[in-house]
């Protein structure tokens, strides 16, 4: 049977537009029916359309992706998947944004060596960028907190009977469950508020 050509598209969120990737695959000659797309994070390969595509791919088939970070964002996982596809399944891969990553060319030792080096560098860059985004988010949140910006829902005000119920609970007149119920709170919430109240006393 003749080899088939496939294309894989991934966007991180449902709001992101996949048109750029779809146009690039169409221009590369990938049939629309052979384009698989996932709308989710690239942190791992637990993606429904990617798994479906894996089941279809056969030896000597050709897989196109727009850029290496569309395959994934996790350095080790990208390398593992690349080797699984090329070595175990015998599939050729073409990364459109990086002509050096075309396994159809340079099947000799030097070509494979160069392809592996480029892949490792690009995979590292993709994961490094993901780490940098996380770090920038964390730094942004820390800076906002330092300016007094509060995150999450504001705490609910204490019920009017809290202090009396708290005293009764501490005096062992009622159980923790009864105290929480009297304040219309989950047990954990009542206990947490009680601990914080006692520390400020």
């Amino acid at each position: 049977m003749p080899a088939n050509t496939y294309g894989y598209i991934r966007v991180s969120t449902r709001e992101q537009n996949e048109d750029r990737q779809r146009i690039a695959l169409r221009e590369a000659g990938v049939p629309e029916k052979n384009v698989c797309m996932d709308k989710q994070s690239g942190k791992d390969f637990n993606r429904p359309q990617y798994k479906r595509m894996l089941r279809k791919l056969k030896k000597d088939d050709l897989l196109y992706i727009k850029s290496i970070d569309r395959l994934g964002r996790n350095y080790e996982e990208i390398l593992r998947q690349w080797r699984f596809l090329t070595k175990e399944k015998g599939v050729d891969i073409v990364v459109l944004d990086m002509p050096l990553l075309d396994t159809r060319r340079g099947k000799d030792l030097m070509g494979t060596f160069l392809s592996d080096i480029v892949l490792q560098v690009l995979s590292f860059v993709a994961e490094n960028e993901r780490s940098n985004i996380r770090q920038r988010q964390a730094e942004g949140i820390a800076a906002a907190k330092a300016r007094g910006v509060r995150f999450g829902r504001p705490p609910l005000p204490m019920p009017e009977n809290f202090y009396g119920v708290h005293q009764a609970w501490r005096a062992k007149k009622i159980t923790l469950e009864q105290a929480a119920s009297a304040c219309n709170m989950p047990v954990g919430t009542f206990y947490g508020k009680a601990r914080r109240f006692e520390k400020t006393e």
Side-chain angles (χ1 to χ4, degrees):
M1 285 180 66
N4 288 311
T5 301
Y6 292 89
Y8 180 67
I9 294 173
R10 184 187 65 77
V11 288
S12 297
T13 66
R14 296 194 177 278
E15 288 74 36
Q16 279 187 334
N17 195 308
E18 75 276 5
D19 286 353
R20 216 164 46 88
Q21 295 177 69
R22 198 175 286 282
I23 290 166
L25 294 178
R26 189 182 303 134
E27 289 174 352
V30 180
E32 188 66 35
K33 65 183 177 67
N34 286 355
V35 173
C36 298
M37 183 179 73
D38 283 305
K39 289 195 173 187
Q40 68 184 84
S41 162
K43 65 181 180 183
D44 57 42
F45 284 85
N46 189 24
R47 309 174 212 144
Q49 292 305 310
Y50 183 81
K51 287 180 170 180
R52 181 171 155 265
M53 183 183 71
L54 277 188
R55 290 194 294 271
K56 287 184 174 182
L57 284 168
K58 303 285 187 295
K59 190 177 187 310
D60 296 326
D61 282 349
L62 178 59
L63 172 63
Y64 281 97
I65 52 174
K66 178 79 167 68
S67 57
I68 195 68
D69 63 349
R70 296 306 88 202
L71 188 60
R73 290 266 185 194
N74 182 299
Y75 171 57
E76 290 181 2
E77 285 288 325
I78 292 172
L79 294 177
R80 193 175 297 122
Q81 283 297 311
W82 185 279
R83 287 177 183 133
F84 171 71
L85 288 165
T86 57
K87 304 289 194 296
E88 293 185 36
K89 274 195 162 284
V91 173
D92 275 314
I93 306 176
V94 177
V95 179
L96 294 168
D97 282 357
M98 180 58 61
L100 277 172
L101 284 177
D102 181 344
T103 60
R104 297 170 303 176
R105 299 188 308 187
K107 293 275 189 182
D108 59 359
L109 188 61
M110 181 56 73
T112 303
F113 176 67
L114 285 173
S115 182
D116 275 359
I117 287 176
V118 174
L119 175 65
Q120 291 205 35
V121 170
L122 288 177
S123 300
F124 174 77
V125 168
E127 185 175 0
N128 200 47
E129 177 57 20
R130 184 162 154 256
S131 298
N132 287 340
I133 289 169
R134 281 202 305 266
Q135 185 176 342
R136 286 195 293 270
Q137 286 173 336
E139 287 169 353
I141 290 169
K145 283 182 176 176
R147 293 195 308 272
V149 176
R150 295 182 71 90
F151 292 88
R153 290 180 300 181
L156 293 171
M158 292 281 203
E160 289 181 13
N161 65 343
F162 177 82
Y163 305 104
V165 171
H166 174 262
Q167 279 187 326
W169 170 58
R170 277 303 181 199
K172 294 189 167 46
K173 292 177 181 175
I174 57 174
T175 66
L176 177 60
E177 288 75 13
Q178 288 170 329
S181 178
C183 291
N184 199 25
M185 291 179 182
V187 171
T189 303
F190 176 84
Y191 186 75
K193 286 185 181 294
R195 296 288 291 172
R196 283 193 292 278
F197 168 66
E198 288 161 12
K199 283 181 182 174
T200 59
E201 281 290 278

